[in-house]
Amino acid sequence: MPNRAGLRLMHVHAHPDDESSKGAASTARYVAEGAEVHVVTCTGGERGSVLNPRMDRPDVLENITEIRRAEMDAAREILGITQHWLGFVDSGWPEGDPKPPLPEGCFGLVPLDEAVERLVRLIRSVRPHVVTTYDERGGYPHPDHVRCHEVSVAAFEAAGDPERFPEAGPAWQPAKLYYHHTFNRPRTQALHDAVVAAGLESPYAERLESWTPEPEWDARITTRVECAAYFGVRDQALLAHATQIDPDGAWFAVPLEIAQEAWPTEDYELVVSHVPTTVPEDDLFAGIETPVA
Ligand SMILES: [Zn+2]
């Protein structure tokens, strides 16, 4: 096992639970190898719906903010991460046609520089070598995910420039920026095929039918991090978000051993690198020298 002591990775996510559904197994692997992994959660998830029928109760809905904080605390312990709230309010998922305007004061409406400055301050204090976020589509088109992308990309660049936000601490330039590509179509197809081959019912049949292949999009993946041994940890972290995850739902419909064999990696796109590296890579820290203790 490589020794990652002294290396720091920062994932920037929109809501509590995103850290457990995207990149959680690679997180667990890097923590096991000695890296420090930080998760920044932009919003409190105050407007998330309750997605687990067992938790869809009035007492849960009334205390959703506190409950989601407690869920995040549990997931943090399971993953072995340090977690930071950026302190913005969930924009919610706009429902209706046409979509209603975003609620006043939410993350999606905060002036960009206000959010960027908060993230720059955190980057300069944590001093991560690698930062991850969502692609420009947000991974899925939730306004907070798209905003998370915009804020992260801007903060990655600004953190290293001493003239930007001079009040936010001494400049620190992270070496690499990645986008998550965990939920790519080839992976979904591979999981589907493996489940069907095992004689089980696939949770992905409908999804794949309506999902037009986008080979150019998938070709953006540069980096596949082997982390199958940590899929179980990822599942435990996901289950800690009890209001958001239905234990009988699609998340857990593919048996662990089948998933480990069919697609043993989490996948990323290297967007910026200030260190020499060649793609394809199998490691987010590739090209970064391990700091001398
Ligand atoms: Zn989210």
Side-chain angles (χ1 to χ4, degrees):
M1 194 186 272
N3 181 2
R4 313 288 188 164
L7 289 173
R8 294 178 296 277
L9 166 62
M10 177 185 275
H11 298 298
V12 188
H13 285 294
H15 307 111
D17 80 351
D18 286 319
E19 83 296 328
S20 297
S21 59
K22 289 165 273 292
S26 22
T27 288
R29 174 187 152 181
Y30 285 123
V31 168
E33 293 176 354
E36 220 180 275
V37 182
H38 292 254
V39 165
V40 179
T41 315
C42 293
T43 79
E46 299 85 353
R47 291 197 172 89
S49 325
V50 173
L51 302 172
N52 175 2
R54 263 169 269 198
M55 296 294 282
D56 202 354
R57 310 186 307 249
D59 57 308
V60 171
L61 289 168
E62 271 163 36
N63 301 296
I64 191 73
T65 304
E66 294 71 31
I67 291 173
R68 291 201 74 176
R69 281 195 169 248
E71 291 175 349
M72 185 68 235
D73 289 345
R76 185 190 69 213
E77 291 300 314
I78 292 164
L79 291 172
I81 54 171
T82 306
Q83 189 254 351
H84 313 261
W85 299 100
L86 208 55
F88 294 103
V89 177
D90 195 334
S91 306
W93 176 254
E95 268 179 288
D97 187 16
K99 285 182 179 173
L102 294 180
E104 205 178 316
C106 73
F107 182 48
L109 295 179
V110 166
L112 186 65
D113 263 8
E114 191 182 325
V116 171
E117 176 162 16
R118 278 197 213 177
L119 184 54
V120 163
R121 192 178 294 275
L122 260 181
I123 291 175
R124 288 177 179 171
S125 121
V126 169
R127 306 200 304 159
H129 301 92
V130 175
V131 173
T132 79
T133 186
Y134 313 133
D135 61 65
E136 66 277 13
R137 295 176 181 176
Y140 86 119
H142 190 295
D144 289 334
H145 283 237
V146 175
R147 199 60 169 164
C148 176
H149 158 83
E150 294 164 349
V151 170
S152 307
V153 169
F156 178 88
E157 204 186 300
D161 181 348
E163 291 182 8
R164 304 279 317 276
F165 309 109
E167 308 292 304
W172 172 263
Q173 180 58 63
K176 296 168 102 182
L177 176 68
Y178 286 93
Y179 295 161
H180 288 273
H181 277 263
T182 300
F183 302 115
N184 56 80
R185 198 183 186 286
R187 168 184 176 271
T188 307
Q189 184 72 54
L191 293 175
H192 171 85
D193 294 345
V195 170
V196 171
L200 301 167
E201 200 185 325
S202 166
Y204 300 122
E206 248 176 74
R207 180 90 212 282
L208 282 165
E209 246 172 66
S210 61
W211 190 350
T212 314
E214 281 186 286
E216 282 147 44
W217 182 265
D218 298 327
R220 283 173 50 168
I221 293 170
T222 55
T223 310
R224 299 184 190 276
V225 179
E226 158 80 54
C227 52
Y230 299 93
F231 285 1
V233 182
R234 175 204 58 198
D235 287 353
Q236 290 311 308
L238 266 171
L239 285 167
H241 292 282
T243 60
Q244 303 301 303
I245 301 291
D246 179 359
D248 302 320
W251 280 110
F252 305 104
V254 178
L256 199 59
E257 310 71 48
I258 294 182
Q260 285 170 322
E261 194 165 319
W263 203 273
T265 61
E266 285 175 341
D267 308 322
Y268 298 85
E269 173 185 359
L270 177 62
V271 190
V272 181
S273 182
H274 295 296
V275 291
T277 184
T278 39
V279 295
E281 308 173 307
D282 60 5
D283 179 11
L284 300 179
F285 291 112
I288 299 171
E289 276 180 52
T290 310
V292 184

